Amino acid sequence: MANSANHQLPGHRGQILCMYAAGGLLFSGGQDRSVRVWNFNAAAGIFMSQSIITKAEGGHEAAVHAFQSYGRCGGLFPALPLSCSSFSRCPHYC
């Protein structure tokens, strides 16, 4: 992926409020209270949604405002990604 490339991340309803990159994946948190996990498809030149984490899957009850690295994640990610919303819940994605 070129440094100057622009990419869209279709799927969030409302704004994307935060992003986090780890282990070759991109995490996005949105106004729609979801966290989406993306991988880059080099052949197609686009990011593709790999999974969606909503309240039903143990996610957030409010907009996702931040990601933070914390600890290690069993080799899957270099650091354990945590996300936070205004209700102070910080689920992890390991």
Side-chain angles (χ1 to χ4, degrees), residues 20-21 67-71 79-82:
Y20 176 84
F67 287 103
Q68 177 65 44
S69 301
Y70 180 78
L80 175 66
L82 300 172

Side-chain angles (χ1 to χ4, degrees), residues 1-37:
M1 176 174 64
N3 289 338
S4 62
N6 291 318
H7 296 277
Q8 293 185 356
L9 300 175
H12 278 288
R13 287 177 292 204
Q15 296 177 348
I16 294 173
L17 301 175
C18 56
M19 299 176 95
Y20 176 84
L25 299 173
L26 179 66
F27 294 77
S28 61
Q31 205 172 28
D32 61 0
R33 303 180 302 245
S34 73
V35 170
R36 292 178 182 257
V37 183

